[in-house]
């Protein structure tokens, strides 16, 4: 079953071509790694899939609306007294819904256990290590039970042990996964497709 279909997609910014004639089909439960040089169009491709930007040419079809997204790592402000649980619950916010119920908390607890962060649920997010924060962000993306999880450089600025923990978590998730990464040390574990992106896209089956 196809879950994402990209056909002859091009994107230009200020008349500069960023992506050209990209074709890509992602099937249910695929684990796709997107790699390539800085400025090659990796993040642009993800933004196109998410609908943040529109292609200059071509078409993108998503056969689901249930998408979880983990943006590239950013620091949390030390001035914001928000707890780990509060961060997870943000993933349950929907249009016209401003309060959490017991079902939301149940899902949040389950996802915290999934990423091995349950014992930190009442700690401030600013007190965690970089790897721990990324695990929390994965849990937030998963708390709405998406069919696709998209991650943009989830292990940047994280030590080797933190990278290992995150890749092990991702391998265990039985959903479609799309991940941008420059790190091949652990990346190919569990990956079944690799897309090299540098204006054009070249797709390979993972070894």
């Amino acid at each position: 079953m196809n879950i994402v279909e990209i056909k002859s997609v091009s994107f230009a910014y200020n008349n500069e071509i960023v992506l050209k004639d990209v074709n890509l089909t992602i099937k249910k439960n695929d684990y796709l790694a997107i790699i390539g040089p800085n400025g090659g169009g990796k993040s642009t491709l993800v933004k196109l899939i998410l609908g943040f930007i529109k292609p200059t040419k071509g078409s993108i079809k998503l056969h689901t609306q249930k998408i979880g997204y983990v943006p590239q790592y950013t620091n949390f402000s030390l001035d914001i007294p928000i707890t780990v649980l509060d961060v997870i619950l943000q993933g349950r916010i929907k249009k016209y819904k401003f309060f959490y119920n017991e079902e939301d908390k149940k899902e949040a607890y389950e996802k915290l256990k999934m990423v091995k962060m349950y014992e930190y649920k009442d700690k401030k997010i600013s007190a965690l290590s970089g790897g721990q924060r990324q695990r929390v962000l994965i849990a937030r993306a998963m708390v709405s039970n998406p069919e696709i999880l998209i991650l943009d450089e989830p292990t940047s600025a994280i030590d080797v042990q933190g990278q290992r923990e995150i890749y092990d978590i991702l391998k265990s998730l039985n959903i479609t996964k799309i991940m941008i990464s420059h790190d091949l040390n652990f990346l190919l574990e569990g990956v079944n497709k690799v897309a090299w992106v540098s204006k054009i896209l070249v797709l390979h089956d993972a070894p």
Side-chain angles (χ1 to χ4, degrees):
M1 173 184 173
N2 294 340
I3 199 162
V4 179
E5 295 178 83
I6 301 174
K7 296 183 179 180
S8 302
V9 163
S10 296
F11 181 81
Y13 181 74
N14 289 339
N15 295 321
E16 180 179 349
I17 295 174
V18 181
L19 292 170
K20 182 179 180 181
D21 295 328
V22 170
N23 292 279
L24 176 64
T25 299
I26 302 170
K27 298 183 179 296
K28 185 176 181 180
N29 292 333
D30 271 349
Y31 188 174
L32 171 70
I34 301 176
I35 61 175
N38 290 335
K42 302 185 299 296
S43 292
T44 298
L45 178 59
V46 163
K47 290 176 182 177
L48 286 163
I49 293 172
L50 289 165
F52 294 167
I53 55 177
K54 301 297 182 184
T56 306
K57 295 181 181 178
S59 65
I60 299 176
K61 291 183 179 179
L62 295 179
H63 298 285
T64 180
Q65 298 299 315
K66 300 178 68 175
I67 301 174
Y69 175 52
V70 180
Q72 191 166 4
Y73 176 77
T74 56
N75 283 315
F76 288 87
S77 172
L78 298 179
D79 298 325
I80 301 176
I82 187 171
T83 68
V84 167
L85 180 59
D86 289 331
V87 171
I88 304 298
L89 287 170
Q90 289 175 353
R92 298 289 292 186
I93 293 176
K94 298 177 182 178
K95 193 175 182 180
Y96 306 124
K97 177 183 175 181
F98 303 103
F99 300 98
Y100 308 126
N101 56 32
E102 289 304 312
E103 181 63 25
D104 295 328
K105 290 183 179 180
K106 179 181 177 182
E107 287 290 342
Y109 293 151
E110 288 182 2
K111 298 307 183 287
L112 280 167
K113 291 174 182 176
M114 179 190 75
V115 299
K116 300 178 181 179
M117 289 296 293
Y118 181 79
E119 65 186 280
Y120 297 90
K121 65 182 185 300
D122 297 319
K123 286 188 174 294
K124 292 181 181 179
I125 191 74
S126 57
L128 303 182
S129 69
Q132 289 171 333
R133 291 176 192 172
Q134 282 300 83
R135 282 192 273 163
V136 171
L137 292 179
I138 291 171
R140 182 176 68 177
M142 289 296 297
V143 78
S144 60
N145 295 311
E147 294 181 352
I148 304 176
L149 180 63
I150 299 177
L151 309 100
D152 188 351
E153 298 278 11
T155 60
S156 61
I158 297 176
D159 63 24
V160 172
Q161 179 60 31
Q163 291 176 25
R164 162 58 67 190
E165 292 169 352
I166 288 172
Y167 286 128
D168 285 346
I169 289 167
L170 294 177
K171 282 170 58 179
S172 71
L173 301 179
N174 189 30
I175 62 172
T176 306
K177 296 173 289 260
I178 303 170
M179 180 166 60
I180 295 175
S181 184
H182 65 279
D183 179 12
L184 297 181
N185 290 331
F186 303 120
L187 178 60
L188 295 182
E189 297 182 18
V191 168
N192 70 313
K193 288 183 179 179
V194 178
W196 170 267
V197 180
S198 183
K199 289 193 176 179
I200 62 173
L201 182 148
V202 180
L203 186 67
H204 299 278
D205 291 331

